[in-house]
Amino acid sequence: MKTITACTMDCGDACSLLVDDEKRTVRGNPKHPFTKGFCCKKGGRYFERLDADERVTEPLVRRGGGFAPASWDEALGLVADKLDAARAVPESILHVHGHGYRGILGMASTHFFERLGSSTTYGCVCDDTGIEACLRDFGALHHNDPEDILNSDRVVNWGRDLTRSSVHQLALLKRARKNGTEVLSISPGGDGTPEFSDVNVVIRPGTDRFLAAAVLKLFLEAGDLNPWVLTRTANWPALRGLVDGLKFRELCAACEVPPADAEMVYEWYADRGNVATVIGWGLQRHVFGGENVRFINAVAMVSGNVGVRGGGAYFNISSARNFGSWAHLIEGGVEPGERRRLLLQDLGAELRRADPPVRFAWIDGHNVINQVPDSLAVADALAAPFTVVVDGFMNDTAMRADVILPPALMFERLDVLGSCVHNYVNLCAPAVAPRDQARSDFEVLADLGSRLREPVRLPDQEACLREGLKHSNVSLDELRENGFAKVNHPFVAFENMVFGHLDGLYRFPEALHSEPERDPDYPLQLLTVVRGEFLHSQIPESEQRGVPLVWISKANPAYSVLDLSADVYLTTGLGAMQVRVETLDGLHPRAVLMRRGGWMKYGHGANVIIRPMNTDMAFGTAYYSQTCRLENR
Ligand SMILES: Nc1nc2c(c(=O)[nH]1)N[C@H]1C(S)=C(S)[C@@H](COP(=O)(O)OP(=O)(O)OC[C@H]3O[C@@H](n4cnc5c(=O)[nH]c(N)nc54)[C@H](O)[C@@H]3O)O[C@H]1N2
Ligand SMILES: Nc1nc2c(c(=O)[nH]1)N[C@H]1C(S)=C(S)[C@@H](COP(=O)(O)OP(=O)(O)OC[C@H]3O[C@@H](n4cnc5c(=O)[nH]c(N)nc54)[C@H](O)[C@@H]3O)O[C@H]1N2
Ligand SMILES: [Mo]
C-alpha cells in the first residue's frame, strides 16, 4: 500500500513523500507544489536506514563494560527509578534535545522535561545567529514565498550550497534561470554553487560583512539612493556615518575580494530589475556571523529590494511558526518557570561547572557528543550522570549511555511538521510498523511519565495535533485527506516596507567589527560543511572507514610544503586528527574544507578539534572560525 507521508529530517525542503510499504520505496509526492514528485538521496534511501543491520531496535542497558538487551518494562522501570531519585533536585536532571526529529508531537520531550523543572540548554548549533540578525533588522522572521524567486531578474546567493542542502530550491532556481534569471554566488569556493551560478566570487571565510559594506560604500558614492526606502528605516544616518568612514579598498582587502568583483556585486544590486538575496547558514557560523547577515540584509534593503516581488532577503523562516503549543494539556509536574540552562556549544565545560551537578541526563534526537565542539570534553562530562539516549544507532553519544531506548523513526510514527523554507505543513503518517521493539518518542515519554512516583501525563496524540494546529488555517482532517496544506502567509514579506518592529521601521547594523588577526601558528581556517548524501552525523558506519578526507586549494600555503605521501595531521589549539588531503580548484587559499558529521569512534569527528566559540548573536556556535594548520609529523 502507498501512504502519503512526509520527511521529518532536519532540512528545509520538508518533503511530502509517497511510501510503498511492500516494495519499501520512497518517492516525492507529485501533488505537493514544492516537492513536485522528487526527493533527495537522504529521503529516497531512508529504508536503508530503517532496515540497517546496525540499527538498535531493542532497549539496551549498560552492564559491566557493555550493553545487555532489556525489555521496555525493565528499561523504563530503571529509568523511572533514577528519575524519581533525581527529582528531589530538579536541576540535577538535564534534557538535551537536538535536530534529529521535529514536529508537533516531536515537542513531547521538551514539554515533558519542562514539567519536571529540569535543566536544559541554551544557545544553538544551527541557525539562531542568522535568525537573531534578521530579527534585529526586520523585527520579524519572514521571507518571500520561495516561488517568488521565479520573478527575480537576478539572484545574489551569499554562500548557500543548494546542490547539497536543498534540491527543491535548486530546482526552482534552475527553472528561474531557464527564464532568464541570472545568479551570482559568493562563497569560499569548493562547493556546488558553480552548478547553478552565472558568476562566482570567492571570499575569505567569515568576512561577508566587509564585502557587503563595500557594496554599501559604492551605493553611497553613487548617491542615487531611493528616498522612500530610507524613510522606512529607523537609523540610516548611523549606517551612513559608519560607511562614510570606511575605505572601499580596505573593505575589499579585509574580505580578500578583488575590487573589480566588489564593483560587480554592486552593479548586480544597482542595475534595473529586482534582485533576490539568498543567505546561507555557513556565513553565520563565524565569530561575527550575525554581523555578516545584518550587512547583507542592509544591501538588500538599501538597494530597494526588500518588500517587493522578485526581491527579498531569504535567510530562514521558523518551521514551527504555524503551530501553537500543547504543553498546557500535560497533567502533573510543576508549572513551567525559570530553569537552569547550560550553554549547548560548551556543554563539556558547562557540565563540569554545574552546581548542583547533573545526575540524570536525557538526550533525544541529538548526537550531541559528536556535533558540539570539544567532543571529548562532552563525552567525559557525560560519564558522570545516569544518561539515557533515545536513538536508533550506536553513535558517539549512544555508546556512552547507561540506557539506550530505540525510537520509531520517520515513516514508522505519526507527526505534523512545517518547513523553514516553504509554507506547507505536512502530515507524517505512519507508513510501516515500527521495527522490532522500537516505539515513538511520544509513546516512550507517555509510558515513562505514568511510571513516575508523581506521574506526568501526556495527552493523547490526536489532542496534541489538534491543539498544535488550532491557530492556523489548516485542519488535521485536511492533512489526513491530502497529506499537506498551505498555511496563509503573504507572498511578499514586508510589503510596502512595513517591518515587524513596533514603529514599523527597519534597523541597520551600527558597528562593523574587524576580523581577528590571523594566528601565525594556525594560519588556515577549518570549514566543516554539510555533505550531500547524508544528514549531519546520520552516516552508515561502513562509509566511515579509513582516514577522513579534507580538501585544500593548490594555492594553499600548506600545499607546497606538505608531503602528501606521508601521514598528514589537521591540527588546532585543541588537538590533531589524521586526514587525507586532496586538492580542489577554486577553494579559498586559506580554507580547509571537510564534510561534517563523521564519528569520533572512527577518527572522523571534526568536533574533537573544534573549540567552543560563541558567535556574536544568540549564542550561536562559531564552528567555522576554527583556525588550524596541516602538517606532517
Ligand atoms: N544533504 C544535506 N542537506 C542538509 C543538511 C545535511 O546535513 N545534509 N543539513 C541541513 C541543515 S540543519 C542545515 S543548517 C543546512 C546547511 O546548509 P548550507 O548553508 O548550504 O551549508 P553549511 O554547510 O551550513 O554551510 C556551508 C556553505 O556555506 C559556505 N560558506 C562557509 N563560510 C562562508 C562564508 O564565510 N561566506 C560565504 N559567503 N559562504 C560561506 C560554504 O561554501 C558552503 O557552501 O542544510 C540542511 N540540509
Ligand atoms: N563541526 C561542525 N559541527 C556541526 C555543524 C557545523 O557546521 N560544523 N553544524 C551543526 C548543525 S547545522 C546542526 S543542525 C547540528 C545537528 O546535530 P544533531 O541534531 O545531533 O543531528 P544529527 O547528527 O543528525 O543527529 C540526530 C540524531 O537523531 C536521531 N534520530 C532521528 N530520528 C529520530 C527520532 O525520531 N527520535 C529520536 N529520538 N532520535 C532520532 C538520529 O539517529 C541521529 O543520531 O550539528 C551541528 N554540528
Ligand atoms: Mo543546521
Side-chain angles (χ1 to χ4, degrees), residues 348-380:
E350 288 277 274
L351 279 164
R352 260 198 325 268
R353 287 190 288 260
D355 181 18
V358 171
R359 302 212 181 278
F360 178 104
W362 179 280
I363 302 169
D364 60 326
H366 204 348
N367 188 1
V368 65
I369 289 180
N370 176 280
Q371 290 285 27
V372 311
D374 201 355
S375 296
L376 287 172
V378 185
D380 266 3

PDB file of all heavy atoms in Angstrom, residues 348-380:
ATOM      1  N   GLY A 348      30.548  20.495  27.538  1.00  0.00           N
ATOM      2  CA  GLY A 348      31.522  19.778  28.365  1.00  0.00           C
ATOM      3  C   GLY A 348      31.887  20.606  29.586  1.00  0.00           C
ATOM      4  O   GLY A 348      31.739  20.166  30.737  1.00  0.00           O
ATOM      5  N   ALA A 349      32.333  21.845  29.356  1.00  0.00           N
ATOM      6  CA  ALA A 349      32.744  22.715  30.461  1.00  0.00           C
ATOM      7  C   ALA A 349      31.542  23.084  31.329  1.00  0.00           C
ATOM      8  O   ALA A 349      31.659  23.157  32.562  1.00  0.00           O
ATOM      9  CB  ALA A 349      33.399  23.982  29.907  1.00  0.00           C
ATOM     10  N   GLU A 350      30.399  23.307  30.721  1.00  0.00           N
ATOM     11  CA  GLU A 350      29.202  23.664  31.485  1.00  0.00           C
ATOM     12  C   GLU A 350      28.827  22.543  32.457  1.00  0.00           C
ATOM     13  O   GLU A 350      28.446  22.803  33.592  1.00  0.00           O
ATOM     14  CB  GLU A 350      28.032  23.935  30.535  1.00  0.00           C
ATOM     15  CG  GLU A 350      28.152  25.230  29.749  1.00  0.00           C
ATOM     16  CD  GLU A 350      27.671  26.433  30.532  1.00  0.00           C
ATOM     17  OE1 GLU A 350      26.470  26.719  30.521  1.00  0.00           O
ATOM     18  OE2 GLU A 350      28.540  27.088  31.162  1.00  0.00           O
ATOM     19  N   LEU A 351      28.934  21.309  32.003  1.00  0.00           N
ATOM     20  CA  LEU A 351      28.607  20.173  32.878  1.00  0.00           C
ATOM     21  C   LEU A 351      29.622  20.058  34.009  1.00  0.00           C
ATOM     22  O   LEU A 351      29.272  19.765  35.151  1.00  0.00           O
ATOM     23  CB  LEU A 351      28.576  18.872  32.061  1.00  0.00           C
ATOM     24  CG  LEU A 351      27.289  18.621  31.280  1.00  0.00           C
ATOM     25  CD1 LEU A 351      27.501  17.534  30.223  1.00  0.00           C
ATOM     26  CD2 LEU A 351      26.148  18.213  32.216  1.00  0.00           C
ATOM     27  N   ARG A 352      30.884  20.312  33.677  1.00  0.00           N
ATOM     28  CA  ARG A 352      31.926  20.241  34.715  1.00  0.00           C
ATOM     29  C   ARG A 352      31.672  21.270  35.807  1.00  0.00           C
ATOM     30  O   ARG A 352      31.872  21.018  36.982  1.00  0.00           O
ATOM     31  CB  ARG A 352      33.303  20.496  34.089  1.00  0.00           C
ATOM     32  CG  ARG A 352      34.094  19.251  33.812  1.00  0.00           C
ATOM     33  CD  ARG A 352      35.579  19.515  33.602  1.00  0.00           C
ATOM     34  NE  ARG A 352      35.918  20.750  32.934  1.00  0.00           N
ATOM     35  CZ  ARG A 352      36.085  20.880  31.620  1.00  0.00           C
ATOM     36  NH1 ARG A 352      35.911  19.854  30.824  1.00  0.00           N
ATOM     37  NH2 ARG A 352      36.427  22.043  31.099  1.00  0.00           N
ATOM     38  N   ARG A 353      31.203  22.471  35.382  1.00  0.00           N
ATOM     39  CA  ARG A 353      30.996  23.564  36.337  1.00  0.00           C
ATOM     40  C   ARG A 353      29.671  23.457  37.076  1.00  0.00           C
ATOM     41  O   ARG A 353      29.466  24.151  38.067  1.00  0.00           O
ATOM     42  CB  ARG A 353      30.982  24.908  35.576  1.00  0.00           C
ATOM     43  CG  ARG A 353      32.314  25.388  35.074  1.00  0.00           C
ATOM     44  CD  ARG A 353      32.198  26.820  34.576  1.00  0.00           C
ATOM     45  NE  ARG A 353      31.469  26.914  33.324  1.00  0.00           N
ATOM     46  CZ  ARG A 353      32.045  27.045  32.120  1.00  0.00           C
ATOM     47  NH1 ARG A 353      33.352  27.116  32.021  1.00  0.00           N
ATOM     48  NH2 ARG A 353      31.317  27.126  31.041  1.00  0.00           N
ATOM     49  N   ALA A 354      28.735  22.658  36.566  1.00  0.00           N
ATOM     50  CA  ALA A 354      27.346  22.713  37.047  1.00  0.00           C
ATOM     51  C   ALA A 354      27.253  22.428  38.547  1.00  0.00           C
ATOM     52  O   ALA A 354      27.768  21.432  39.035  1.00  0.00           O
ATOM     53  CB  ALA A 354      26.491  21.721  36.271  1.00  0.00           C
ATOM     54  N   ASP A 355      26.573  23.303  39.248  1.00  0.00           N
ATOM     55  CA  ASP A 355      26.372  23.156  40.683  1.00  0.00           C
ATOM     56  C   ASP A 355      24.933  23.569  40.986  1.00  0.00           C
ATOM     57  O   ASP A 355      24.617  24.736  40.839  1.00  0.00           O
ATOM     58  CB  ASP A 355      27.370  24.049  41.434  1.00  0.00           C
ATOM     59  CG  ASP A 355      27.195  23.909  42.938  1.00  0.00           C
ATOM     60  OD1 ASP A 355      26.578  22.908  43.365  1.00  0.00           O
ATOM     61  OD2 ASP A 355      27.642  24.810  43.674  1.00  0.00           O
ATOM     62  N   PRO A 356      24.049  22.693  41.396  1.00  0.00           N
ATOM     63  CA  PRO A 356      24.249  21.270  41.654  1.00  0.00           C
ATOM     64  C   PRO A 356      24.613  20.491  40.385  1.00  0.00           C
ATOM     65  O   PRO A 356      24.176  20.851  39.300  1.00  0.00           O
ATOM     66  CB  PRO A 356      22.876  20.820  42.183  1.00  0.00           C
ATOM     67  CG  PRO A 356      21.901  21.810  41.623  1.00  0.00           C
ATOM     68  CD  PRO A 356      22.645  23.108  41.541  1.00  0.00           C
ATOM     69  N   PRO A 357      25.392  19.425  40.567  1.00  0.00           N
ATOM     70  CA  PRO A 357      25.805  18.645  39.399  1.00  0.00           C
ATOM     71  C   PRO A 357      24.625  17.941  38.729  1.00  0.00           C
ATOM     72  O   PRO A 357      23.608  17.699  39.358  1.00  0.00           O
ATOM     73  CB  PRO A 357      26.774  17.612  39.986  1.00  0.00           C
ATOM     74  CG  PRO A 357      26.544  17.602  41.443  1.00  0.00           C
ATOM     75  CD  PRO A 357      25.920  18.901  41.832  1.00  0.00           C
ATOM     76  N   VAL A 358      24.805  17.643  37.463  1.00  0.00           N
ATOM     77  CA  VAL A 358      23.781  16.888  36.742  1.00  0.00           C
ATOM     78  C   VAL A 358      23.924  15.409  37.093  1.00  0.00           C
ATOM     79  O   VAL A 358      25.020  14.851  37.007  1.00  0.00           O
ATOM     80  CB  VAL A 358      23.932  17.120  35.217  1.00  0.00           C
ATOM     81  CG1 VAL A 358      23.032  16.169  34.434  1.00  0.00           C
ATOM     82  CG2 VAL A 358      23.599  18.574  34.873  1.00  0.00           C
ATOM     83  N   ARG A 359      22.814  14.808  37.520  1.00  0.00           N
ATOM     84  CA  ARG A 359      22.852  13.388  37.914  1.00  0.00           C
ATOM     85  C   ARG A 359      22.102  12.493  36.937  1.00  0.00           C
ATOM     86  O   ARG A 359      22.283  11.275  36.937  1.00  0.00           O
ATOM     87  CB  ARG A 359      22.225  13.205  39.299  1.00  0.00           C
ATOM     88  CG  ARG A 359      22.905  14.012  40.368  1.00  0.00           C
ATOM     89  CD  ARG A 359      22.854  13.296  41.716  1.00  0.00           C
ATOM     90  NE  ARG A 359      23.503  14.106  42.739  1.00  0.00           N
ATOM     91  CZ  ARG A 359      24.807  14.144  42.937  1.00  0.00           C
ATOM     92  NH1 ARG A 359      25.611  13.409  42.197  1.00  0.00           N
ATOM     93  NH2 ARG A 359      25.316  14.913  43.881  1.00  0.00           N
ATOM     94  N   PHE A 360      21.232  13.131  36.164  1.00  0.00           N
ATOM     95  CA  PHE A 360      20.416  12.347  35.206  1.00  0.00           C
ATOM     96  C   PHE A 360      20.345  13.152  33.913  1.00  0.00           C
ATOM     97  O   PHE A 360      19.988  14.338  33.935  1.00  0.00           O
ATOM     98  CB  PHE A 360      19.008  12.147  35.787  1.00  0.00           C
ATOM     99  CG  PHE A 360      18.077  11.396  34.858  1.00  0.00           C
ATOM    100  CD1 PHE A 360      17.762  10.062  35.087  1.00  0.00           C
ATOM    101  CD2 PHE A 360      17.501  12.021  33.749  1.00  0.00           C
ATOM    102  CE1 PHE A 360      16.905   9.368  34.220  1.00  0.00           C
ATOM    103  CE2 PHE A 360      16.645  11.333  32.892  1.00  0.00           C
ATOM    104  CZ  PHE A 360      16.348  10.008  33.133  1.00  0.00           C
ATOM    105  N   ALA A 361      20.696  12.551  32.786  1.00  0.00           N
ATOM    106  CA  ALA A 361      20.596  13.265  31.506  1.00  0.00           C
ATOM    107  C   ALA A 361      19.739  12.458  30.536  1.00  0.00           C
ATOM    108  O   ALA A 361      19.869  11.229  30.459  1.00  0.00           O
ATOM    109  CB  ALA A 361      21.987  13.485  30.921  1.00  0.00           C
ATOM    110  N   TRP A 362      18.859  13.155  29.829  1.00  0.00           N
ATOM    111  CA  TRP A 362      18.012  12.532  28.793  1.00  0.00           C
ATOM    112  C   TRP A 362      18.370  13.212  27.480  1.00  0.00           C
ATOM    113  O   TRP A 362      18.238  14.438  27.344  1.00  0.00           O
ATOM    114  CB  TRP A 362      16.534  12.744  29.126  1.00  0.00           C
ATOM    115  CG  TRP A 362      15.565  12.169  28.132  1.00  0.00           C
ATOM    116  CD1 TRP A 362      15.182  12.702  26.945  1.00  0.00           C
ATOM    117  CD2 TRP A 362      14.822  10.941  28.269  1.00  0.00           C
ATOM    118  NE1 TRP A 362      14.247  11.900  26.326  1.00  0.00           N
ATOM    119  CE2 TRP A 362      14.009  10.808  27.115  1.00  0.00           C
ATOM    120  CE3 TRP A 362      14.762   9.942  29.249  1.00  0.00           C
ATOM    121  CZ2 TRP A 362      13.150   9.719  26.919  1.00  0.00           C
ATOM    122  CZ3 TRP A 362      13.905   8.870  29.060  1.00  0.00           C
ATOM    123  CH2 TRP A 362      13.112   8.762  27.898  1.00  0.00           C
ATOM    124  N   ILE A 363      18.859  12.450  26.533  1.00  0.00           N
ATOM    125  CA  ILE A 363      19.294  13.022  25.255  1.00  0.00           C
ATOM    126  C   ILE A 363      18.470  12.368  24.148  1.00  0.00           C
ATOM    127  O   ILE A 363      18.474  11.137  24.022  1.00  0.00           O
ATOM    128  CB  ILE A 363      20.797  12.757  25.022  1.00  0.00           C
ATOM    129  CG1 ILE A 363      21.612  13.360  26.167  1.00  0.00           C
ATOM    130  CG2 ILE A 363      21.242  13.321  23.674  1.00  0.00           C
ATOM    131  CD1 ILE A 363      23.077  12.936  26.172  1.00  0.00           C
ATOM    132  N   ASP A 364      17.774  13.163  23.387  1.00  0.00           N
ATOM    133  CA  ASP A 364      16.996  12.580  22.289  1.00  0.00           C
ATOM    134  C   ASP A 364      17.176  13.391  21.008  1.00  0.00           C
ATOM    135  O   ASP A 364      17.270  14.619  21.027  1.00  0.00           O
ATOM    136  CB  ASP A 364      15.508  12.458  22.655  1.00  0.00           C
ATOM    137  CG  ASP A 364      14.849  13.779  22.974  1.00  0.00           C
ATOM    138  OD1 ASP A 364      15.518  14.663  23.542  1.00  0.00           O
ATOM    139  OD2 ASP A 364      13.655  13.936  22.651  1.00  0.00           O
ATOM    140  N   GLY A 365      17.275  12.680  19.892  1.00  0.00           N
ATOM    141  CA  GLY A 365      17.396  13.345  18.591  1.00  0.00           C
ATOM    142  C   GLY A 365      18.655  14.185  18.483  1.00  0.00           C
ATOM    143  O   GLY A 365      18.671  15.186  17.773  1.00  0.00           O
ATOM    144  N   HIS A 366      19.699  13.822  19.161  1.00  0.00           N
ATOM    145  CA  HIS A 366      20.914  14.643  19.151  1.00  0.00           C
ATOM    146  C   HIS A 366      22.134  13.752  19.364  1.00  0.00           C
ATOM    147  O   HIS A 366      22.289  13.164  20.437  1.00  0.00           O
ATOM    148  CB  HIS A 366      20.828  15.662  20.282  1.00  0.00           C
ATOM    149  CG  HIS A 366      21.662  16.890  20.072  1.00  0.00           C
ATOM    150  ND1 HIS A 366      22.627  17.003  19.093  1.00  0.00           N
ATOM    151  CD2 HIS A 366      21.667  18.080  20.723  1.00  0.00           C
ATOM    152  CE1 HIS A 366      23.170  18.204  19.158  1.00  0.00           C
ATOM    153  NE2 HIS A 366      22.605  18.879  20.133  1.00  0.00           N
ATOM    154  N   ASN A 367      22.993  13.727  18.367  1.00  0.00           N
ATOM    155  CA  ASN A 367      24.281  13.058  18.556  1.00  0.00           C
ATOM    156  C   ASN A 367      25.208  14.110  19.154  1.00  0.00           C
ATOM    157  O   ASN A 367      26.160  14.566  18.540  1.00  0.00           O
ATOM    158  CB  ASN A 367      24.781  12.542  17.208  1.00  0.00           C
ATOM    159  CG  ASN A 367      26.021  11.676  17.350  1.00  0.00           C
ATOM    160  OD1 ASN A 367      26.510  11.438  18.455  1.00  0.00           O
ATOM    161  ND2 ASN A 367      26.526  11.220  16.218  1.00  0.00           N
ATOM    162  N   VAL A 368      24.885  14.489  20.387  1.00  0.00           N
ATOM    163  CA  VAL A 368      25.456  15.720  20.951  1.00  0.00           C
ATOM    164  C   VAL A 368      26.972  15.626  21.156  1.00  0.00           C
ATOM    165  O   VAL A 368      27.699  16.602  20.944  1.00  0.00           O
ATOM    166  CB  VAL A 368      24.701  16.119  22.246  1.00  0.00           C
ATOM    167  CG1 VAL A 368      24.897  15.097  23.349  1.00  0.00           C
ATOM    168  CG2 VAL A 368      25.109  17.504  22.725  1.00  0.00           C
ATOM    169  N   ILE A 369      27.434  14.450  21.519  1.00  0.00           N
ATOM    170  CA  ILE A 369      28.883  14.319  21.748  1.00  0.00           C
ATOM    171  C   ILE A 369      29.619  14.569  20.441  1.00  0.00           C
ATOM    172  O   ILE A 369      30.670  15.207  20.396  1.00  0.00           O
ATOM    173  CB  ILE A 369      29.207  12.925  22.329  1.00  0.00           C
ATOM    174  CG1 ILE A 369      28.691  12.869  23.773  1.00  0.00           C
ATOM    175  CG2 ILE A 369      30.710  12.627  22.251  1.00  0.00           C
ATOM    176  CD1 ILE A 369      28.939  11.548  24.480  1.00  0.00           C
ATOM    177  N   ASN A 370      29.031  14.122  19.376  1.00  0.00           N
ATOM    178  CA  ASN A 370      29.655  14.266  18.064  1.00  0.00           C
ATOM    179  C   ASN A 370      29.497  15.676  17.490  1.00  0.00           C
ATOM    180  O   ASN A 370      30.385  16.175  16.804  1.00  0.00           O
ATOM    181  CB  ASN A 370      29.013  13.241  17.120  1.00  0.00           C
ATOM    182  CG  ASN A 370      29.498  13.358  15.704  1.00  0.00           C
ATOM    183  OD1 ASN A 370      29.034  14.213  14.967  1.00  0.00           O
ATOM    184  ND2 ASN A 370      30.448  12.517  15.347  1.00  0.00           N
ATOM    185  N   GLN A 371      28.367  16.319  17.763  1.00  0.00           N
ATOM    186  CA  GLN A 371      28.020  17.521  16.995  1.00  0.00           C
ATOM    187  C   GLN A 371      28.340  18.840  17.672  1.00  0.00           C
ATOM    188  O   GLN A 371      28.239  19.891  17.046  1.00  0.00           O
ATOM    189  CB  GLN A 371      26.529  17.508  16.639  1.00  0.00           C
ATOM    190  CG  GLN A 371      26.162  16.447  15.617  1.00  0.00           C
ATOM    191  CD  GLN A 371      26.608  16.814  14.224  1.00  0.00           C
ATOM    192  OE1 GLN A 371      27.566  17.550  14.024  1.00  0.00           O
ATOM    193  NE2 GLN A 371      25.907  16.308  13.238  1.00  0.00           N
ATOM    194  N   VAL A 372      28.658  18.834  18.957  1.00  0.00           N
ATOM    195  CA  VAL A 372      29.029  20.113  19.552  1.00  0.00           C
ATOM    196  C   VAL A 372      30.547  20.149  19.741  1.00  0.00           C
ATOM    197  O   VAL A 372      31.197  19.105  19.834  1.00  0.00           O
ATOM    198  CB  VAL A 372      28.248  20.457  20.851  1.00  0.00           C
ATOM    199  CG1 VAL A 372      26.746  20.269  20.668  1.00  0.00           C
ATOM    200  CG2 VAL A 372      28.756  19.683  22.031  1.00  0.00           C
ATOM    201  N   PRO A 373      31.110  21.369  19.767  1.00  0.00           N
ATOM    202  CA  PRO A 373      32.564  21.479  19.864  1.00  0.00           C
ATOM    203  C   PRO A 373      33.128  20.781  21.107  1.00  0.00           C
ATOM    204  O   PRO A 373      32.425  20.601  22.091  1.00  0.00           O
ATOM    205  CB  PRO A 373      32.782  22.994  19.948  1.00  0.00           C
ATOM    206  CG  PRO A 373      31.613  23.581  19.253  1.00  0.00           C
ATOM    207  CD  PRO A 373      30.465  22.679  19.590  1.00  0.00           C
ATOM    208  N   ASP A 374      34.372  20.470  21.022  1.00  0.00           N
ATOM    209  CA  ASP A 374      35.112  19.787  22.087  1.00  0.00           C
ATOM    210  C   ASP A 374      34.405  18.496  22.514  1.00  0.00           C
ATOM    211  O   ASP A 374      34.045  18.305  23.677  1.00  0.00           O
ATOM    212  CB  ASP A 374      35.339  20.723  23.289  1.00  0.00           C
ATOM    213  CG  ASP A 374      36.502  20.240  24.155  1.00  0.00           C
ATOM    214  OD1 ASP A 374      37.045  19.145  23.863  1.00  0.00           O
ATOM    215  OD2 ASP A 374      36.868  20.941  25.120  1.00  0.00           O
ATOM    216  N   SER A 375      34.237  17.613  21.542  1.00  0.00           N
ATOM    217  CA  SER A 375      33.514  16.354  21.758  1.00  0.00           C
ATOM    218  C   SER A 375      34.066  15.556  22.928  1.00  0.00           C
ATOM    219  O   SER A 375      33.304  14.934  23.680  1.00  0.00           O
ATOM    220  CB  SER A 375      33.618  15.477  20.508  1.00  0.00           C
ATOM    221  OG  SER A 375      32.976  16.084  19.431  1.00  0.00           O
ATOM    222  N   LEU A 376      35.385  15.559  23.104  1.00  0.00           N
ATOM    223  CA  LEU A 376      35.958  14.737  24.183  1.00  0.00           C
ATOM    224  C   LEU A 376      35.520  15.251  25.544  1.00  0.00           C
ATOM    225  O   LEU A 376      35.233  14.465  26.455  1.00  0.00           O
ATOM    226  CB  LEU A 376      37.487  14.719  24.085  1.00  0.00           C
ATOM    227  CG  LEU A 376      38.054  13.878  22.947  1.00  0.00           C
ATOM    228  CD1 LEU A 376      39.563  14.091  22.822  1.00  0.00           C
ATOM    229  CD2 LEU A 376      37.738  12.397  23.146  1.00  0.00           C
ATOM    230  N   ALA A 377      35.445  16.574  25.682  1.00  0.00           N
ATOM    231  CA  ALA A 377      35.010  17.152  26.962  1.00  0.00           C
ATOM    232  C   ALA A 377      33.556  16.784  27.237  1.00  0.00           C
ATOM    233  O   ALA A 377      33.185  16.484  28.378  1.00  0.00           O
ATOM    234  CB  ALA A 377      35.179  18.674  26.941  1.00  0.00           C
ATOM    235  N   VAL A 378      32.732  16.793  26.196  1.00  0.00           N
ATOM    236  CA  VAL A 378      31.323  16.438  26.393  1.00  0.00           C
ATOM    237  C   VAL A 378      31.223  14.961  26.787  1.00  0.00           C
ATOM    238  O   VAL A 378      30.494  14.595  27.713  1.00  0.00           O
ATOM    239  CB  VAL A 378      30.486  16.716  25.119  1.00  0.00           C
ATOM    240  CG1 VAL A 378      29.007  16.455  25.390  1.00  0.00           C
ATOM    241  CG2 VAL A 378      30.675  18.149  24.638  1.00  0.00           C
ATOM    242  N   ALA A 379      31.982  14.127  26.079  1.00  0.00           N
ATOM    243  CA  ALA A 379      31.959  12.694  26.386  1.00  0.00           C
ATOM    244  C   ALA A 379      32.398  12.448  27.832  1.00  0.00           C
ATOM    245  O   ALA A 379      31.746  11.701  28.574  1.00  0.00           O
ATOM    246  CB  ALA A 379      32.867  11.936  25.417  1.00  0.00           C
ATOM    247  N   ASP A 380      33.460  13.109  28.250  1.00  0.00           N
ATOM    248  CA  ASP A 380      33.965  12.961  29.629  1.00  0.00           C
ATOM    249  C   ASP A 380      32.907  13.366  30.639  1.00  0.00           C
ATOM    250  O   ASP A 380      32.646  12.669  31.615  1.00  0.00           O
ATOM    251  CB  ASP A 380      35.152  13.913  29.844  1.00  0.00           C
ATOM    252  CG  ASP A 380      36.454  13.202  29.583  1.00  0.00           C
ATOM    253  OD1 ASP A 380      36.392  12.022  29.201  1.00  0.00           O
ATOM    254  OD2 ASP A 380      37.516  13.847  29.740  1.00  0.00           O
TER     255      ASP A 380
END
